[in-house]
Amino acid sequence: MDWNKLAEALITDENVKPLEYYEALYPERALEKGAQVTRLAPSPTGFMHLGNLYVALANERIAHQSGGVFYLRIEDTDEKRKVEGAVEVIHQSLKYFGVAFDEGADLCGDYGPYYQRQRAEIYHAYAKELIKRGLAYPCFCTEEELENTRNHQTENKLLPGYYGEFAKCRNLTEEEIYENLKAGKPYVIRLRSQGDVNVKHTFRDEVKGEITVTENNQDVVILKSDGIPTYHFAHAIDDHFMRTTLVIRGEEWLSSLPIHIELFKVLGFRLPKYGHNCSIQKMDGETRRKLSKRKDPEASLTFYREQGYHPTAVRKYMMTLLNSNFEEWLLKFPDKPIDEFKYSIGKMGKSGALFDILKLNDVSKTMMATLNESEMFDFLKAWADEFGSDEQKSYFADRTYTERVLALCMGVGGKKRRKDFVCAKQAVEFISYFFDETFCPDYAYRFDKQTVKKVLLGFKTVYDYADDAQAWFDKVKAVAGENGFATDMKAYKADPAAFPGNVSDIAEMLRIATTGLANTPDLWTIMQILGEERTLARLNKAIGNL
Ligand code: GLU
């Protein structure tokens, strides 16, 4: 077989450059010894899984702590999985969590293009090289033939795939190949595997430690019939030419490792270090299972942005899942920036990382309680601007007013911090009654309308914005007394049946009238924040409703 001739017939020299050209175009990176070049290489599916953040954080930490480079490569070889706007989603979601790329798709960088579809020429050059060396060949098998082989293998409990006796096109004669080409039969290019499944090797996985890897014997497709490479082939060439030194990726890729090892070998490239991290799991009742894109809303990164989880809280929690000694470090240095933590691959979990949203919520509550007035305002505003309703957006038009609301409702800036706010959405919903745009009370009083009306009218006549808390309360008491309600709690407790209620019931009526709620922070302060005009308007509205 004249392999050179076949290589030229399949991929002409016109379409590719000599291999040295690519080596010169993408030289070794000038980095300090020990610096790691890592990457995130997602497919543009439009869905960012929590696992993507997990892997991204590990790769980002390792690259940046070692003085290396972290880049983004888009693996878009599978047209069917591609979704419009997906790269934007990748950038947005990771940026939110503070994951910064040094180079990559839609960013600058000397090792691009960072979209695989734009790198076709390099893949063709190397496919051609493999054909020349008799290490790749055209395969003309039809979908139907492959399906028959699959069925035969299943029925006979044989290993699936294109190998050995099932690799029908592996041994086509020169004549057969040219005849097929002449007939215009579509073909793919397959690797001529040199491996043997009976041979096993010990492999050092950076996360899992020593593992056993069986040699690949599959003649995997390297170029599809439309000339687009498969992920396996493209990733090997890209990791070589982007000078990746370490690949941390999900353990679902472990089964492809034998193929990758063989591809690097036949291509003559140095294999990067690989670490396969465990999948993220959760408890589902008594059973532990993988976090599922279909079943669990919290599997999507969008979920955390839509709910308004503080990015630092999510990062902190993810770090506790990623590195077993992070929590201890955080307890010791709660105020240090988390990037000062020394990340280590050796401390990554070898089996499933158990994700517990309640723990994340705890971390979030603690985090939210550390924000000062302007940080809280900016954080909630940023959430509302992106995910809130128009009314919620308008909450942030008056900074002074809203900061006072936050100080009262959440204790922001004060000594009594509330620690029960998990996310921005919850906090913004909580303050809704301070804003007329969303103030729509259902006035659920516990007393009859007439009593309430008398109380509200009575209070309205004596209400004075200038009253301090004590003077204000004295007036509430006076209204209570006028309506026969107990003003002295001792007297009330001694004989509750003697009164329709006590002063706190009066305060509740006023509270419901002005806020719509039976439970709120201090009512005098609320009225101070609402201001005289708005307080009176609300009292009038409530009276009108009775
Ligand atoms: N494109 C693969 C993915 O979508 C990346 C696998 C790898 O990191 O090698 O996850």
Side-chain angles (χ1 to χ4, degrees):
M1 171 88 71
D2 183 345
W3 292 112
N4 280 323
K5 187 178 143 207
L6 179 62
E8 182 59 26
L10 296 174
I11 300 164
T12 64
D13 265 344
E14 254 168 58
N15 294 330
V16 295
K17 298 196 181 61
L19 304 187
E20 306 78 62
Y21 169 84
Y22 304 109
E23 287 290 347
L25 186 61
Y26 305 115
E28 288 281 357
R29 293 171 184 264
L31 294 171
E32 295 284 315
K33 196 166 173 282
Q36 302 293 335
V37 180
T38 66
R39 44 57 162 195
L40 187 73
S43 297
T45 59
F47 184 85
M48 284 298 275
H49 193 281
L50 192 63
N52 290 119
L53 176 63
Y54 188 72
V55 163
L57 277 173
N59 281 299
E60 185 270 341
R61 284 295 71 219
I62 293 163
H64 290 155
Q65 268 179 12
S66 65
V69 175
F70 174 52
Y71 70 87
L72 173 69
R73 181 171 75 228
I74 300 299
E75 305 212 321
D76 55 358
T77 55
D78 188 350
E79 189 69 15
K80 288 197 289 290
R81 300 183 69 202
K82 211 164 131 190
V83 163
E84 217 38 60
V87 179
E88 183 73 24
V89 173
I90 295 171
H91 275 295
Q92 271 177 359
S93 5
L94 293 172
K95 200 170 151 207
Y96 182 74
F97 297 107
V99 177
F101 295 104
D102 303 300
E103 58 186 66
D106 300 354
L107 302 165
C108 50
D110 294 334
Y111 290 80
Y114 296 91
Y115 283 83
Q116 289 185 323
R117 280 189 168 253
Q118 295 171 19
R119 299 171 68 81
E121 185 192 298
I122 318 178
Y123 309 132
H124 289 177
Y126 276 86
K128 180 164 188 177
E129 172 67 10
L130 293 186
I131 301 166
K132 275 190 193 167
R133 287 162 48 208
L135 288 170
Y137 62 88
C139 163
F140 300 90
C141 286
T142 60
E143 236 343 285
E144 197 186 342
E145 284 170 308
L146 295 174
E147 168 107 44
N148 289 341
T149 305
R150 264 196 297 276
N151 292 341
H152 171 81
Q153 287 166 335
T154 317
E155 275 159 28
N156 294 284
K157 298 201 167 65
L158 296 165
L159 283 177
Y162 203 85
Y163 63 93
E165 62 181 292
F166 304 111
K168 295 207 184 89
C169 295
R170 187 176 165 111
N171 297 315
L172 291 183
T173 63
E174 207 159 356
E175 291 73 41
E176 286 169 321
I177 292 177
Y178 286 106
E179 242 168 59
N180 284 338
L181 288 177
K182 217 167 134 202
K185 283 197 183 170
Y187 63 88
V188 297
I189 305 287
R190 286 186 184 272
L191 168 76
R192 183 185 299 277
S193 172
Q194 308 296 302
D196 176 351
V197 273
N198 298 310
V199 180
K200 296 187 191 311
H201 297 278
T202 303
F203 182 86
R204 210 199 122 66
D205 184 281
E206 297 300 311
V207 175
K208 298 203 177 293
E210 287 209 341
I211 55 170
T212 304
V213 175
T214 306
E215 276 190 6
N216 171 56
N217 73 337
Q218 300 277 340
D219 283 3
V220 289
V221 176
I222 58 173
L223 287 190
K224 295 182 260 189
S225 55
D226 55 3
I228 300 296
T230 54
Y231 148 71
H232 300 303
F233 191 55
H235 113 281
I237 291 175
D238 292 343
D239 277 335
H240 172 71
F241 283 115
M242 295 178 182
R243 306 295 173 181
T244 312
T245 60
L246 171 67
V247 174
I248 300 285
R249 61 182 180 186
E251 64 186 355
E252 66 275 20
W253 297 103
L254 205 49
S255 56
S256 306
L257 186 61
I259 299 171
H260 299 167
I261 294 176
E262 181 169 21
L263 282 170
F264 272 88
K265 194 169 160 201
V266 296
L267 288 163
F269 299 155
R270 193 175 57 234
L271 193 69
K273 286 180 280 178
Y274 281 96
H276 292 88
N277 65 253
C278 51
S279 56
I280 302 183
Q281 304 182 334
K282 71 178 269 187
M283 291 308 292
D284 190 351
E286 295 291 290
T287 47
R288 200 171 154 139
R289 64 161 173 82
K290 252 173 132 175
L291 202 60
S292 143
K293 172 177 161 180
R294 245 179 340 102
K295 291 190 214 153
D296 309 310
E298 72 271 29
S300 160
L301 281 189
T302 314
F303 169 82
Y304 302 93
R305 287 176 55 222
E306 281 173 359
Q307 295 293 314
Y309 275 83
H310 196 282
T312 309
V314 177
R315 253 185 100 115
K316 273 188 183 165
Y317 181 62
M318 292 309 277
M319 289 296 282
T320 63
L321 290 186
L322 273 162
N323 250 199
S324 52
N325 55 333
F326 177 74
E327 217 166 338
E328 202 182 305
W329 178 88
L330 195 60
L331 279 174
K332 239 188 193 164
F333 308 107
D335 300 323
K336 277 198 182 182
I338 47 176
D339 284 356
E340 282 185 25
F341 168 72
K342 182 99 193 64
Y343 190 86
S344 108
I345 311 184
K347 293 269 189 318
M348 286 175 73
K350 293 186 188 3
S351 51
L354 190 62
F355 177 78
D356 181 349
I357 197 147
L358 296 178
K359 278 198 189 147
L360 168 63
N361 289 351
D362 282 344
V363 176
S364 295
K365 287 177 195 166
T366 313
M367 171 72 222
M368 289 276 272
T370 64
L371 302 182
N372 66 29
E373 292 97 321
S374 72
E375 285 167 342
M376 183 63 87
F377 180 91
D378 291 342
F379 173 57
L380 300 186
K381 179 179 186 315
W383 175 83
D385 283 347
E386 195 167 0
F387 298 103
S389 62
D390 286 347
E391 288 89 358
Q392 288 172 328
K393 286 185 181 63
S394 74
Y395 295 179
F396 300 91
D398 181 347
R399 187 165 199 126
T400 317
Y401 181 77
T402 304
E403 281 190 3
R404 287 182 76 192
V405 171
L406 296 175
L408 176 68
C409 292
M410 302 171 80
V412 181
K415 287 199 187 79
K416 278 198 198 150
R417 272 314 275 257
R418 276 185 63 161
K419 287 202 174 161
D420 53 352
F421 289 94
V422 173
C423 55
K425 183 168 189 268
Q426 178 198 3
V428 172
E429 282 168 1
F430 188 78
I431 61 172
S432 65
Y433 63 89
F434 278 90
F435 303 90
D436 291 342
E437 295 87 338
T438 43
F439 176 64
C440 49
D442 58 5
Y443 300 123
Y445 303 107
R446 288 188 296 116
F447 290 84
D448 63 87
K449 283 188 176 186
Q450 232 156 345
T451 308
V452 178
K453 194 167 187 171
K454 266 180 75 195
V455 166
L456 298 187
L457 282 169
F459 179 78
K460 202 187 112 182
T461 5
V462 292
Y463 169 67
D464 183 350
Y465 181 78
D467 286 341
D468 65 11
Q470 190 55 53
W472 177 88
F473 189 58
D474 287 343
K475 285 183 178 171
V476 176
K477 264 184 167 170
V479 175
E482 280 160 23
N483 287 280
F485 282 63
T487 51
D488 172 7
M489 285 313 277
K490 254 193 208 154
Y492 178 73
K493 273 187 190 142
D495 187 8
F499 305 93
N502 63 54
V503 67
S504 69
D505 296 314
I506 298 296
E508 185 188 279
M509 292 177 217
L510 294 171
R511 197 181 298 280
I512 292 176
T514 44
T515 68
L517 303 168
N519 284 307
T520 67
D522 177 62
L523 187 57
W524 174 77
T525 318
I526 290 179
M527 289 186 178
Q528 286 291 301
I529 296 174
L530 288 174
E532 185 173 11
E533 203 181 311
R534 201 184 269 123
T535 302
L536 284 172
R538 289 192 177 189
L539 285 171
N540 285 332
K541 180 175 169 167
I543 292 164
N545 222 277
L546 287 161

